[in-house]
């Protein structure tokens, strides 16, 4: 029997065969699986509105997704709802070199956005690890970070305007291409990071920057994680803001090297990947200062990338860290706790102690310059005894981050995976405010139900 939506949309938009639905029951988050009642692949905003209106009339839950690279289960259907996949709405609509903006549909791949900007001599800085696959709409829904957050911020900092379909199917444009715009409450900012729970983003106007004139990438090698963490704190305390200060521990390094084979050292405890960009003179100064600081903190060696191509190879290998680690054990549980940068070394030590205490294997990498760690628990979800230890370790990691004034998620969102921990961070009054907002935007509760709250 064909799905009722099939009669409202052009042919080929609705999937209902179990074999077609299977991939849409998961996203990039391990251990979380759901079942989509049907998948709709709209090709225009009018088709999205048709779908959402039908969901509103029939009270059907709708889970919006892009490529499904999310790491908090935000795109996993929980209530046997409809999955609305925006992957076919993937056009770059305009690059405006007079205003330094780019307009794209929500399903555009992040890398294509960056490439379209670069083709015009411009720069879209947010670069989530998954950028070769992830969609810009997914990045906006999760307010994704990336490797350049330290200097350039996160997705939110580059969103100027959003086209949104509300829960009743009505359409709105939030924001403008103006550098300054304070008209009304900050609805655009509320939608960024709202994980598909308040409205459906169908297109966005993004802010671009001029391409930095120069870049330099350095690798500092350490015999201990502490020294690497202290180096990050010392660089920031020296008032240097490089674009990237990424960390990889020995486990992660081994996996990344086995995967990318670019000659990363595998006999050290920790590596910092440091990149500075901007005016050539400033880049030379900052690179020299970072090298000095790393050596003063006990770096065994500091290597400078020979040229831009090598710098890109190093960053690309780093972006593969999650996939590379996933090859070690059947289940890879990756967290993104974040602490104020001055507490970084304490958090690193806490994670190490927790791994020992609960006898779980944890590889750690992450955006140390942002205080954002990816402690990655390598385990096997079929082993119930091991999974009990894993969950105890996760509880301890979140508690440690909160005790240091940190957050349970710096860039992957709450979704399903972090939902049980959110009240610990926000407290009852802020949670109640979130519930009131949800009620106001989605009174019937059809938009990504069961997520965040
Ligand atoms: C990264 C993702 C996992 O940093 O956030 O690669
Ligand atoms: Zn990350």
């Amino acid at each position: 029997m064909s799905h009722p939506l099939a009669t409202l949309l052009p042919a080929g938009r609705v999937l209902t065969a179990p074999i077609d639905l299977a991939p849409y029951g998961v996203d990039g988050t391990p251990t979380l699986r759901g079942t989509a009642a049907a998948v709709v692949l709209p090709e225009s905003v009018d088709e999205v509105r048709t779908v959402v209106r039908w969901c509103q009339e029939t009270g059907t839950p709708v889970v919006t997704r892009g490529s499904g690279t999310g790491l908090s289960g935000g795109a996993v259907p929980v209530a046997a709802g409809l999955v609305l996949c925006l992957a076919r709405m993937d056009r770059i609509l305009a690059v405006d070199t007079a205003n330094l903006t780019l307009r794209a549909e929500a399903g555009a791949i992040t890398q294509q956005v960056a490439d379209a900007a670069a083709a015009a001599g411009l720069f879209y800085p947010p670069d989530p690890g998954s950028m070769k696959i992830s969609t810009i709409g997914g990045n906006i829904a999760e307010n994704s970070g990336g490797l350049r957050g330290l200097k350039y911020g996160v997705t939110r900092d580059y969103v100027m305007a959003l086209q949104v379909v509300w829960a009743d199917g009505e359409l709105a444009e939030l924001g403008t291409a103006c550098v300054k715009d304070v008209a009304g409450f900050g609805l655009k900012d509320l939608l960024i990071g709202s994980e598909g729970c308040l409205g459906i983003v169908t297109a966005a106007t993004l802010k671009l920057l001029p391409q930095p004139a120069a870049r330099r990438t350095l690798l500092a090698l350490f015999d201990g994680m502490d020294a690497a963490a202290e180096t990050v704190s010392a660089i920031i305390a020296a008032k240097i803001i490089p674009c990237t200060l990424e960390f990889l521990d020995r486990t992660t390094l081994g996996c990344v090297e086995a995967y990318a084979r670019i000659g990363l050292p595998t006999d050290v405890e920790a590596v910092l990947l440091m990149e500075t960009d901007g005016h050539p003179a400033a880049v030379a100064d900052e690179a020299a200062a970072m090298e000095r600081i790393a050596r003063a903190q006990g770096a065994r060696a500091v290597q400078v990338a020979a040229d831009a191509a090598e710098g890109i190879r190093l960053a690309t290998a780093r972006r593969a860290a999650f996939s590379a680690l996933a090859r070690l054990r059947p289940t890879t549980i990756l967290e993104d706790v974040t602490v104020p940068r001055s507490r970084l070394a304490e958090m690193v030590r806490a994670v190490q102690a927790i791994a020992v205490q609960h006898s779980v294997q944890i590889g750690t990498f992450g955006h140390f310059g942002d205080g954002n760690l990816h402690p990655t628990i390598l385990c096997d979800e079929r082993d119930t005894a091991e999974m009990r230890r894993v969950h105890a370790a996760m509880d301890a990691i979140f508690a440690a981050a909160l005790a240091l004034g940190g957050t349970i998620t710096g860039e992957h969102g709450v979704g399903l995976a972090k939902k049980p921990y959110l009240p610990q961070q926000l407290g009852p009054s802020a949670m109640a405010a979130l519930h009131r907002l949800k009620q106001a935007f989605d009174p019937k509760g059809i938009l990504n139900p069961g997520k965040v709250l």
Side-chain angles (χ1 to χ4, degrees), residues 64 164-167 191 194-201 441-442 447:
T64 308
V164 174
V165 175
W166 299 122
L191 265 284
S194 67
E195 308 197 32
C197 297
L198 301 182
I200 295 170
V201 171
F441 281 83
D442 179 22
L447 297 178

Side-chain angles (χ1 to χ4, degrees), residues 214-218 242-243 274-278 282-283 286-287 290:
R215 292 177 190 286
R216 192 163 303 171
T217 308
L218 297 88
C243 67
M274 313 188 281
E275 185 168 293
T276 140
D277 68 357
V283 165
E286 285 186 0
M290 290 196 296

Side-chain angles (χ1 to χ4, degrees), residues 71 128-129 145-147 246 318 334 336 365-367 372 374 411-412:
L71 291 169
L147 278 64
E246 289 289 320
R318 154 60 189 91
L334 186 147
D336 66 322
F365 66 102
H367 319 286
N372 181 186
H374 292 317
E411 58 175 7
H412 297 162

Side-chain angles (χ1 to χ4, degrees), residues 119-165:
L122 295 167
F123 182 33
Y124 178 69
D127 62 341
S130 54
M131 71 184 293
K132 280 189 182 166
I133 316 167
S134 66
T135 61
I136 201 73
N139 293 172
I140 292 167
E142 301 296 328
N143 189 18
S144 307
L147 278 64
R148 301 193 186 109
L150 177 55
K151 177 168 173 181
Y152 290 106
V154 296
T155 303
R156 175 187 305 285
D157 302 306
Y158 296 86
V159 176
M160 302 183 78
L162 294 176
Q163 183 187 61
V164 174
V165 175

Side-chain angles (χ1 to χ4, degrees), residues 24-56:
Y24 297 92
V26 296
D27 63 7
T29 321
T31 76
L32 297 176
R33 280 169 207 95
T35 308
V39 174
V40 185
L41 294 150
E43 296 188 9
S44 70
V45 67
D46 283 338
E47 292 179 15
V48 174
R49 298 180 65 191
T50 300
V51 174
V52 177
R53 271 197 297 263
W54 181 84
C55 289
Q56 181 71 221

Side-chain angles (χ1 to χ4, degrees), residues 4 7 23 34 86 97 113 126 139 174 188 202 218 230 233-234 240 254 277 290 296 304 322 374 416:
T7 60
L86 300 185
T97 53
V113 168
N139 293 172
L174 312 176
K188 167 194 65 130
T202 46
L218 297 88
E230 298 291 359
S233 302
I240 300 170
D277 68 357
M290 290 196 296
V304 181
F322 172 48
H374 292 317
L416 280 178

